[in-house]
Amino acid sequence: MNTLAQPNLDASASRRYHGLDALRALAMMLGVVLHVAMYFQESDPNFIWPARDVERSPLAGLLVVMIHVFRMPVFFVMAGFFAAMLHQKRGTAGFAGNRFLRIAIPFIIGWFILFPLVKASFGFAMIYASGADLHTSLGMAVGGLVSEGLWSNPHPIHLWFLYYLLILYVCLMAIGLMLRMIPPLQQAWDRISTLVTRSRFRLPILVGATFGLLCMMQGPTADTPDGFIPQPHILLYYGLYMIIGWAMWRNRQVIESLHRWCWLRFLSGLVVLLIATFLTIAYYIEMAESGWMSSNPVLFYVTQATVALSCWLIILGSIGLAERLMRRHHPVIRYLVDASYWIYLAHLPLSIFIPACFRYWELDGTLKMFIMMVFVTIPLLLTWQLILGIMPSRRSDRPRCETSDDR
């Protein structure tokens, strides 16, 4: 039987994974923390984030690197797990239709709306930083956007996650078809998926495979796509996490087994993450001092090894921790879980524009950074509440696990 396409049904297929829902939502909402923190870094403005606040925070750079290390890997593992759940329930046709409505449509419509807003927000932030007043900065930013073109120099912005997710969904369906046509490959996949999810050698296998893919990156941690042309090494990297999430659904007894030693895994992962963060910063400092003309290969490989280890310790530890602590429905957490997809989609322009509006507010940089995170989150939650008010009420007879996999 094709375990990618048609895993066996059992009682656990109908349960609600409250902890994994919350873990996925947390990864989505960390986008606000990440992108607001980028505005308060002590480093100089660059092409990635071309504006900085007057008040800087020494914590901002650490947050940016730390979140960048583990956030997307958690995303893709959860995406693979819930995609497998959805595919089992609805079949290939139902899965494709759901992903088109839930992922492709928001990506396409969202990009056409958000890309100009992100460009205008960056334009405003840079003009306001140059000394123009607030009203003039707004006018010049809008005027520059119109004259340059709303969608000129297109870039997937933060929606690259959805773009790569769609590509990987197609790849997974193609792999499933190939396995169904070639039984020996199916048997090999069965053995491999069991090995990487349930074996005592799970951690070294996962870390080794991840390290090999990280060695293909241009710098420490994982590269971020810089255009709409898919980059194979990034697809392979996040595809590994996604297929492991899919395999975890097939062997979902592993979720219960991860309850044991979850605190040790998670805390160990945080310690290794701190090491990876400081190694990453040290690498870029060394490159900056050498004029970006050379790099230290030993430092690069050591950094990537710690990144791989920290990712899997945090992923395995947080899965066990989340499911161990959240066995029941929590109304507030459920509300945030439901709002998290909207927060992920809509947060980037606000994460640029709102902190830029408060650029000249004299306040400690770290405190100001956290206040801006709250200021960005409030309108996102208010607009989500407005969306709930105009959406049709959910049916009371909806299957219990459906909202776990419909994003």
Side-chain angles (χ1 to χ4, degrees):
M1 181 176 288
N2 183 358
T3 56
L4 265 176
Q6 298 175 342
N8 294 325
L9 292 170
D10 59 34
S12 65
S14 63
R15 64 164 288 190
R16 180 65 183 255
Y17 290 90
H18 295 286
L20 300 190
D21 263 347
L23 183 59
R24 177 177 57 180
L26 176 62
M28 288 185 179
M29 292 188 292
L30 277 175
V32 174
V33 179
L34 172 66
H35 292 124
V36 171
M38 292 182 77
Y39 184 69
F40 289 89
Q41 294 178 100
E42 292 184 315
S43 59
D44 294 331
N46 53 38
F47 69 96
I48 297 175
W49 211 264
R52 294 287 189 273
D53 197 80
V54 173
E55 307 292 340
R56 309 289 177 90
S57 169
L59 182 60
L62 294 176
L63 284 176
V64 169
V65 176
M66 291 173 70
I67 293 172
H68 180 66
V69 166
F70 73 86
R71 176 173 170 254
M72 281 302 168
V74 170
F75 251 143
F76 278 96
V77 171
M78 294 296 97
F81 183 88
F82 287 117
M85 174 190 287
L86 179 64
H87 189 268
Q88 174 174 298
K89 290 170 51 184
R90 302 192 181 185
T92 300
F95 175 84
N98 179 277
R99 296 298 83 185
F100 179 77
L101 292 174
R102 298 276 182 172
I103 306 297
I105 294 299
F107 168 68
I108 295 169
I109 296 176
W111 185 85
F112 277 101
I113 295 172
L114 291 169
F115 182 72
L117 293 177
V118 170
K119 286 181 65 176
S121 297
F122 272 127
F124 164 77
M126 290 186 287
I127 294 168
Y128 195 40
S130 69
D133 60 56
L134 187 65
H135 183 268
T136 302
S137 299
L138 284 170
M140 291 179 65
V142 174
L145 178 66
V146 173
S147 63
E148 181 184 348
L150 297 180
W151 300 285
S152 61
N153 302 314
H155 183 280
I157 54 177
H158 66 300
L159 300 181
W160 71 264
F161 165 66
L162 299 184
Y163 182 51
Y164 274 61
L165 198 58
L166 290 168
I167 296 171
L168 289 171
Y169 283 146
V170 174
C171 293
L172 283 175
M173 295 302 97
I175 292 171
L177 177 62
M178 182 176 62
L179 294 180
R180 187 162 57 246
M181 295 173 61
I182 308 175
L185 288 180
Q186 175 64 65
Q187 296 168 6
W189 162 249
D190 289 339
R191 291 192 294 269
I192 292 171
S193 65
T194 300
L195 180 66
V196 299
T197 56
R198 301 170 65 178
S199 166
R200 69 179 67 181
F201 303 108
R202 171 181 57 209
L203 183 61
I205 291 172
L206 292 174
V207 171
T210 303
F211 172 69
L213 293 171
L214 282 169
C215 290
M216 301 167 62
M217 302 297 167
Q218 297 178 1
T221 71
D223 297 340
T224 299
D226 56 6
F228 282 103
I229 299 175
Q231 299 182 42
H233 69 293
I234 301 179
L235 273 173
L236 287 171
Y237 178 68
Y238 289 116
L240 172 65
Y241 291 106
M242 193 167 178
I243 204 166
I244 295 303
W246 193 292
M248 282 185 175
W249 169 255
R250 173 67 179 122
N251 300 277
R252 48 194 171 276
Q253 301 92 333
V254 71
I255 303 298
E256 293 291 331
S257 71
L258 289 174
H259 291 188
R260 298 190 299 273
W261 306 105
C262 59
W263 281 107
L264 179 60
R265 289 192 192 93
F266 184 72
L267 293 176
S268 299
L270 291 182
V271 171
V272 181
L273 176 61
L274 283 173
I275 297 172
T277 299
F278 286 113
L279 288 173
T280 299
I281 294 172
Y283 178 92
Y284 283 118
I285 289 175
E286 181 175 311
M287 285 193 68
E289 291 177 347
S290 62
W292 299 92
M293 298 300 293
S294 63
S295 60
N296 185 333
V298 174
L299 181 56
F300 172 76
Y301 292 126
V302 172
T303 302
Q304 298 298 64
T306 59
V307 167
L309 179 58
S310 66
C311 278
W312 283 111
L313 285 173
I314 288 175
I315 289 170
L316 298 176
S318 60
I319 287 174
L321 196 59
E323 281 295 309
R324 182 175 177 178
L325 296 178
M326 293 194 59
R327 293 181 175 271
R328 296 181 179 85
H329 172 81
H330 297 272
V332 174
I333 295 178
R334 181 70 250 164
Y335 180 85
L336 294 175
V337 166
D338 291 339
S340 62
Y341 192 31
W342 167 251
I343 291 173
Y344 159 75
L345 289 172
H347 79 276
L348 187 57
L350 294 177
S351 298
I352 303 164
F353 180 74
I354 291 179
C357 287
F358 291 88
R359 172 181 175 81
Y360 300 107
W361 184 18
E362 295 182 1
L363 189 67
D364 174 75
T366 300
L367 177 59
K368 187 178 179 181
M369 177 179 67
F370 286 116
I371 292 174
M372 290 303 105
M373 292 174 188
V374 175
F375 282 6
V376 170
T377 304
I378 289 173
L380 292 169
L381 291 177
L382 290 176
T383 50
W384 171 247
Q385 188 61 37
L386 180 63
I387 292 171
L388 288 181
I390 62 177
M391 286 174 60
S393 299
R394 293 183 177 182
R395 291 173 50 188
S396 60
D397 60 345
R398 192 178 191 182
R400 288 182 62 211
C401 67
E402 187 164 342
T403 52
S404 291
D405 57 24
D406 60 5
R407 283 195 302 277

